[in-house]
Amino acid sequence: MFSYRHAFHAGNHADVLKHTVLIATLEYLKQKEVALSLIDTHAGNGLYRLDGDFAQTSNESASGIQQLLAYAANATEPLAPAVQQYLDQITSFNGEIKPGTKRIVYPGSPALLQHLMRPQDQLHLFELQPADMRALQGNMAQGPFANHTHVWHADGFKDSLKFLPPPSRRALVLCDPSYELKTDYGQVSQWLSDALRKFATGTYIIWYPVIPRPEAHELPRKLKTIARQAGKSWLHATLAIKTGGKSGVQLPGERAERTGMVASGVVVVNPPFVLREQLQQALPELVKALGQDHVAAHTLESSA
C-alpha cells in the first residue's frame, strides 16, 4: 500500500475527483437556507503546501491539480461547470497561479468545507494523527467561521455518528479514510449502515482507492447494496488516469487491469439530482486533462 499521511498525496488525481464532487454537492445543498451540518470523518491537515517536503517527496500533484491547472490555462473553450467551480476554489486560496509554479496552497476537504460554509452551518472535523490534528486546529482557526468549526481528536468512524441526526435535519458527510489498513474497508461499510440507520436523509460521500486489493473491489458494491436496502439513491463515479501492468484491478465493465493508485472512486448516497448531469460533463474533461495514456477512463452509474 501507499505510505499514508495525506500531505504526501495532496492535490493528486484522487483529490481532484473527490473535491470536484464535494464542491458540486455542497453548492447544490446550499440553495436551501436551512442550516447544514458538515462532517469530515478523516480530516488530515486541512491545508497543504505543494512545494513542501511531504508533497515534493511524492510529487503526486504534478499529475493532479498542477496538470489540471495547465490544461485550464490552455483551454480554448469554457470548462465543465463542476471543474470550473473546483478550480475557482483553488484560485481563491492562492490568487493568480502562474503556469508551472509549485508554490501552491492546496485546500483539503476541511478547508474547502469551511470556505464554502455559511453563518448558519456547523463544521465537524475528525483526525486521530496527533501532528495532523494540531496542524488542522491551527489551519482552521485562521479560516472563516472558525467559531462554527469544531476539530475533534477522535475516531471519525465512531464519533461522527454522535452528530447524526443534526438539529436542522440536513447534513453533508464526507468519509475518506486512508485505507492503509484492510479493516478500513469493513469499517466504511459498517459506518454507512449505522449512519443511514441514524439519519437516512443525509448526503454521504465515500471516497475509495481503486487498487489491486479484493476489499477495494468489493467496497462500492457493498455501499450500493447498503443504500439500496435502506431505500436510498446512490451515484458511483470513478476516474483512472492511466493503465497499469499485471496484478491490477479493473473499473466497472473493464477488462484491462490497473496497478498502483492510478484510479479512485466516490460513492454518493442521497446525491443531488443534478450531480449525475454535472459529472457527465466533468468526468470526460478530467480524463482529457489528467489522462496519461490511451486507456485513461471514467465510469459513472447511478440508481436512477
Side-chain angles (χ1 to χ4, degrees):
M1 273 295 291
F2 45 89
S3 171
Y4 199 84
R5 284 173 74 185
H6 192 69
F8 286 108
H9 312 288
N12 68 2
H13 62 86
D15 270 358
V16 172
L17 172 64
K18 175 175 61 179
H19 293 151
T20 298
V21 172
L22 178 66
I23 292 167
T25 301
L26 178 53
E27 291 288 29
Y28 176 82
L29 295 177
K30 285 166 53 181
Q31 292 180 28
K32 288 187 178 181
E33 289 297 319
V34 181
L36 279 164
S37 286
L38 307 172
I39 299 173
D40 189 339
T41 63
H42 296 76
N45 289 11
L47 286 170
Y48 305 92
R49 285 285 299 269
L50 297 187
D51 60 342
D53 291 342
F54 283 124
Q56 287 296 294
T57 297
S58 63
N59 201 31
E60 291 183 21
S61 67
S63 56
I65 182 56
Q66 295 188 65
Q67 189 165 325
L68 181 58
L69 285 167
Y71 172 86
N74 294 314
T76 57
E77 299 289 337
L79 302 178
V83 176
Q84 188 62 60
Q85 276 187 326
Y86 165 66
L87 288 177
D88 288 345
Q89 289 304 311
I90 304 304
T91 302
S92 72
F93 281 85
N94 292 276
E96 182 183 359
I97 301 175
K98 295 181 180 179
T101 184
K102 293 186 177 180
R103 293 183 61 83
I104 297 172
V105 173
Y106 187 83
S109 305
L112 290 170
L113 290 169
Q114 189 187 56
H115 196 253
L116 290 167
M117 67 188 290
R118 305 162 300 174
Q120 64 267 44
D121 301 330
Q122 297 287 329
L123 175 59
H124 296 278
L125 306 170
F126 296 85
E127 179 54 49
L128 271 176
Q129 211 282 340
D132 286 352
M133 187 274 296
R134 290 190 294 271
L136 179 66
Q137 286 179 319
N139 288 330
M140 295 300 100
Q142 303 301 314
F145 305 115
N147 59 333
H148 290 192
T149 301
H150 314 279
V151 176
W152 305 98
H153 188 207
D155 180 353
F157 284 128
K158 179 178 67 175
D159 291 284
S160 63
L161 298 173
K162 297 177 181 178
F163 295 93
L164 300 176
S168 66
R169 311 295 297 188
R170 300 186 72 226
L172 172 60
V173 188
L174 173 66
C175 182
D176 59 339
S178 69
Y179 297 97
E180 192 170 23
L181 301 175
K182 287 184 179 182
T183 53
D184 281 355
Y185 296 91
Q187 284 189 283
V188 167
S189 297
Q190 186 62 55
W191 171 84
L192 180 61
S193 293
D194 294 341
L196 287 172
R197 277 195 294 270
K198 293 199 69 176
F199 185 48
T201 57
T203 297
Y204 301 93
I205 300 175
I206 300 100
W207 174 87
Y208 72 97
V210 178
I211 55 174
R213 175 174 276 182
E215 296 88 351
H217 180 74
E218 287 296 312
L219 182 61
R221 182 188 63 79
K222 290 180 178 179
L223 297 178
K224 289 182 286 186
T225 297
I226 291 167
R228 184 171 60 251
Q229 290 174 343
K232 299 303 172 183
S233 60
W234 55 264
L235 178 146
H236 178 212
T238 64
L239 174 67
I241 62 169
K242 64 179 180 179
T243 190
K246 52 190 176 180
S247 303
V249 295
Q250 293 136 284
L251 296 183
E254 279 192 328
R255 294 183 179 179
E257 294 185 332
R258 304 171 186 272
T259 57
M261 224 285 276
V262 299
S264 69
V266 290
V267 174
V268 187
V269 179
N270 292 324
F273 78 96
V274 298
L275 186 59
R276 181 182 176 92
E277 182 179 350
Q278 289 176 315
L279 294 181
Q280 282 176 330
Q281 300 176 56
L283 288 170
E285 191 152 62
L286 292 180
V287 170
K288 185 177 179 181
L290 304 183
Q292 297 182 18
D293 61 24
H294 69 284
V295 292
H298 75 277
T299 65
L300 180 62
E301 56 179 346
S302 65
S303 58

